Amino acid sequence: MPAQQPAVSVIMPVLDEEHYLRESVRHILEQEYAGEMEVVIALGPSTDRTDEIAAELVAEDPRVHTVPNPTGRTPAALNAAIKASRHPIVVRVDGHGMLSPDYIATAVRLLEETGAQNVGGIMHAEGQNAWEEAVAAAMTSKIGVGNAPFHTGGRAGPAETVYLGVFRREALEQQGGYNEEFIRAQDWELNFRIREAGGLIWFSPELRVQYRPRRSVKALAKQYKDYGRWRHVVARYHSGSINLRYLAPPTLVCALAAGVVVGATLSPLGFVLPAGYLAGIAVGSVPAGKGLSLKARAQIPLALATMHLSWGFGFLTSPRALANRLIASRRPAVRTGAPQVRDAPQV
């Protein structure tokens, strides 16, 4: 590795992250990286001890800074942190993500080797109790998330989008940062504009981020409902972005609902569909739970069902008006000319 590496800015949008913020920042500050580094934490209106912990981190290490994000929205936080940062490489990290020790060094090398504008890798879910371990097993199994490379791994190569991302600053500035209308899926939308402008997005399994799953069934259900809701927005925003993997959960929800209705009103045979689904996730959870405790393995079917059904329900109930609003806010990709830096809109 060269003695002098480019300076990097790590940006973190945080909201109610008291459980993991300190650990996440520690994984950043202990990176095996020779270049200069700063960490910019964008603080949303948390209701826990997140702000207090962030203030402690600032006092403990001069590389850590904070900026306010009064909206609490992720894309606004990211734009505020980008604006407050100063280095040519911008690394996005979430408050519940733990970087592997060589993450930044590997990402900088990949940017140089591939010429990409953004590189990213695997969202490696790891739990700290039985429920989180069950969710992590579901999130890293094909029965849980299909063949999504950033969950289950895959070959390095060009990608539509990547998890989190390590960007060249000029790419972010050229595109004007994140579209703040995208409360979710803002990564996909930004990467879409970068690709539309001729830039390369690169996935590599060399890049791994430990991810802490949601701590309850309710929180997991909300997370996956939002995923489904915004995936449908993306499908309407860009008609060529949908595929069979994304249609599986809403199809499942419709089939299960139809089976229950038929079983309850016409024939008990209708219950074959929901019974078959329950049997399928029970069987599928066996290899997913290999090596886990009995308590964790027993909860994998619940985690799978929560993910599948919440995602499908969110997709089916996603309002067209939301997509129409975002389509109206569409930003054209910027191909040439001076970088454009936009201030966050007033909310």
Side-chain angles (χ1 to χ4, degrees):
M1 179 183 293
Q4 185 62 39
Q5 294 289 291
V8 302
S9 297
V10 182
I11 59 173
M12 299 183 67
V14 300
L15 179 68
D16 293 330
E17 290 286 2
E18 68 174 359
H19 295 288
Y20 302 124
L21 178 58
R22 177 170 288 278
E23 184 184 5
S24 181
V25 172
R26 178 178 62 80
H27 278 77
I28 297 168
L29 298 177
E30 294 179 357
Q31 285 287 294
E32 299 168 357
Y33 188 69
E36 184 180 352
M37 183 190 306
E38 66 174 351
V39 181
V40 182
I41 304 172
L43 296 171
S46 296
T47 58
D48 61 9
R49 295 184 58 252
T50 296
D51 287 9
E52 180 182 338
I53 294 169
E56 293 171 357
L57 292 167
V58 170
E60 293 165 6
D61 196 305
R63 293 174 292 177
V64 182
H65 315 280
T66 61
V67 293
N69 173 35
T71 70
R73 296 175 177 177
T74 300
L78 291 166
N79 283 342
I82 291 168
K83 188 176 180 181
S85 66
R86 57 197 173 90
H87 294 320
I89 305 297
V90 179
V91 182
R92 176 183 171 176
V93 181
D94 285 343
H96 44 270
M98 315 296 160
L99 302 185
S100 55
D102 63 346
Y103 181 88
I104 292 178
T106 301
V108 170
R109 171 176 60 80
L110 289 171
L111 284 172
E112 179 64 26
E113 290 177 355
T114 65
Q117 301 299 307
N118 180 22
V119 299
I122 295 175
M123 173 184 176
H124 184 68
E126 291 186 359
Q128 295 184 312
N129 56 45
W131 166 249
E132 291 181 3
E133 288 175 349
V135 177
M139 292 181 69
T140 53
S141 68
K142 290 190 176 181
I143 191 175
V145 295
N147 61 350
F150 74 83
H151 280 297
T152 60
R155 292 184 178 181
E160 181 182 88
T161 190
V162 291
Y163 179 55
L164 300 178
V166 177
F167 298 84
R168 299 179 189 271
R169 176 176 292 275
E170 63 262 27
L172 292 172
E173 292 182 342
Q174 184 181 55
Q175 298 306 325
Y178 291 85
N179 184 337
E180 295 184 16
E181 293 291 333
F182 275 76
I183 307 305
R184 298 286 184 273
Q186 64 275 159
D187 297 304
W188 179 91
E189 193 277 336
L190 173 59
N191 285 319
F192 174 73
R193 281 185 282 131
I194 291 174
R195 289 186 293 108
E196 207 174 33
L200 174 66
I201 311 299
W202 189 265
F203 167 81
S204 173
E206 292 184 75
L207 297 172
R208 292 170 66 89
V209 180
Q210 293 178 11
Y211 171 85
R212 299 290 187 248
R214 295 299 191 267
R215 296 162 62 85
S216 68
V217 175
K218 181 179 178 180
L220 181 67
K222 183 182 184 303
Q223 177 187 19
Y224 272 77
K225 178 187 173 184
D226 287 345
Y227 282 171
R229 175 187 176 97
W230 284 88
R231 183 63 244 188
H232 203 166
V233 169
V234 167
R236 287 166 168 159
Y237 185 90
H238 179 52
S239 59
S241 67
I242 201 68
N243 59 42
L244 292 178
R245 179 167 67 87
Y246 297 126
L247 294 176
T251 302
L252 172 67
V253 170
C254 291
L256 293 180
V260 170
V261 170
V262 170
T265 60
L266 298 176
S267 168
L269 289 176
F271 291 117
V272 169
L273 278 173
Y277 171 69
L278 292 175
I281 60 174
V283 172
S285 69
V286 174
K290 186 177 181 182
L292 298 181
S293 68
L294 179 61
K295 185 177 181 180
R297 294 200 304 269
Q299 296 183 81
I300 294 175
L302 175 59
L304 289 169
T306 301
M307 291 163 54
H308 294 162
L309 301 183
S310 299
W311 203 104
F313 180 78
F315 189 95
L316 291 169
T317 59
S318 181
R320 182 174 291 275
L322 177 58
N324 290 341
R325 192 183 82 219
L326 267 67
I327 290 169
S329 75
R330 187 191 299 269
R331 295 181 182 176
V334 180
R335 296 178 180 273
T336 58
Q340 300 180 5
V341 182
R342 297 178 173 87
D343 291 337
Q346 298 298 314
V347 178

